[in-house]
Amino acid sequence: MNALVTGGAGYIGSHTSLALLRQDMDLVVVDNFSNSHPEALARVKALSGKDFPFYEGDVCDATLLDRIFSENAIDCVIHFAGLKSVGESVAQPLRYYENNLISTLRLLQAMGAHQVKRMIFSSSATVYRSDSPMPVDESAPLGCLNPYGWTKFMCEQILRDAAVADPKLSVVLLRYFNPIGADSSGQIGEDPDDIPNNLMPYVAQTALGIHKHVNVFGDNYNTPDGTGVRDYIHVSDLADGHVAAIAYAMEHTGSEAFNLGTGVGYSVLDIISAFEKANRVKVPYVIGPRRRGDADAVYSNPDKARRLLGWQAKKTLTDMCRDTWSWQQKNPHGYRTGS
Ligand code: NAD
Ligand code: UD1
């Protein structure tokens, strides 16, 4: 099995690349480092003790893709490459539509030209309508609130249509909930470029003293403690979900969507107190106003992935907090630490 991993230097791509190598699969990585660092790939190689071909470039570049597919016998594409900041997508919608849609179209065209029939796509829980009843399952109606979400919605539709047109194609749409944590080595992890938008990296940086306190975005949501509830999943569990998805794609054709979550919701205050307890650190916080567009509670029904992929999340919230802290302490400035 030889997988082409687009965006393999990124947060989820690097952990999935490591999981594939640990399963003795071969891979080829392409990334333009628009939101990542070459050091991530060096560490994946060091942790796995294995090498793999790497192409630096843009997945929207048809000539580059033709070269990659010509030079490597690819069995399956795992398409992580994409822009992912919700706020940035509101400010720069065309850049988001261009990057996320064109990369997917070019990949499908190159796969068609080179007879590659399997695609695992990084989708998101954000494709579900915000008023969906929780826990949400894959049959819930879709609808988005921002351009980032719409890019995922549209890519899903493009991929479903492609699978209808080519009965030999196998498309697996993985809808991630909230990935956090890091490989237990603390060598690879999430490396936000700027001040983090997401909760967990902000909590970890606050514990380290980089920020004075966490701003809790609202405590008057319709949740047990009033703060937002999400389905946090360890990134290594998520990575294993891709290994299971490849096995599924080997056996099936057509398109299928799967939630990758734990099925359990935790509030912002749950996360802060779990982080303090797991790591024996203080995480000061201040309750502030709500962030626009945030839902009360979003958590998955993960049964379909358990039944059809034979996959379920194994790691606990304590594991997620401990591994995030290990990565953060060893790499206070991410992959730039020490350089
Ligand atoms: P990331 O930004 O860490 O990784 C994305 C990688 O893709 C980066 O290395 C970036 O340099 C690369 N990239 C982007 N556009 C490219 C292009 N045109 N050509 C080549 N490389 C390109 O993000 P991540 O958190 O690892 O997310 C991976 C995928 O999962 C994304 O598609 C994202 O939208 C999706 N997703 C992420 C989350 C999350 O919370 N992290 C949740 C749901 C879905
Ligand atoms: C956000 C994106 C989602 C994306 C996901 C992963 C929005 C509306 N949604 O999800 O599309 O897939 O990130 O990249 O941006 N919180 C705080 N203080 C903080 C940060 C967050 O209180 O400093 C709260 C939020 O209000 C929310 C929870 O923590 O209740 C989780 O927030 P976050 O990590 O940003 O993830 P989502 O909002 O679920």
Side-chain angles (χ1 to χ4, degrees), residues 6 18 36 73 77 113 127 130 133 137 161 184 186 219 234 236 283 339:
T6 77
L18 183 58
S36 54
V77 174
V127 298
S130 55
D137 70 33
D161 289 342
S184 58
D219 67 349
H234 196 295
S236 300
V283 181
S339 64

Side-chain angles (χ1 to χ4, degrees), residues 37 39 43 329-339:
H37 198 283
E39 179 64 15
R43 295 197 187 175
Q329 278 187 302
K330 288 180 179 147
N331 308 274
H333 303 290
Y335 292 113
R336 287 164 297 279
T337 302
S339 64

Side-chain angles (χ1 to χ4, degrees), residues 264-285:
V264 180
Y266 290 108
S267 74
V268 176
L269 297 182
D270 288 336
I271 295 293
I272 291 175
S273 83
F275 196 92
E276 289 185 322
K277 209 166 140 210
N279 300 314
R280 298 193 187 139
V281 290
K282 282 310 284 174
V283 181
Y285 68 87

Side-chain angles (χ1 to χ4, degrees), residues 2-14:
N2 195 8
L4 172 62
V5 181
T6 77
Y11 174 43
I12 306 170
S14 57

Side-chain angles (χ1 to χ4, degrees), residues 251-262:
E251 302 286 320
H252 299 81
T253 55
S255 62
E256 207 67 63
F258 296 98
N259 286 342
L260 293 188
T262 65

Side-chain angles (χ1 to χ4, degrees), residues 5 7-18 80 84 122-123 176-177 179 189-190 235 238-239 242:
V5 181
Y11 174 43
I12 306 170
S14 57
H15 287 82
T16 302
S17 295
L18 183 58
F80 294 105
K84 65 164 181 177
S122 296
S123 189
Y176 312 151
F177 282 70
E190 186 170 11
V235 66
L238 197 71
H242 293 74

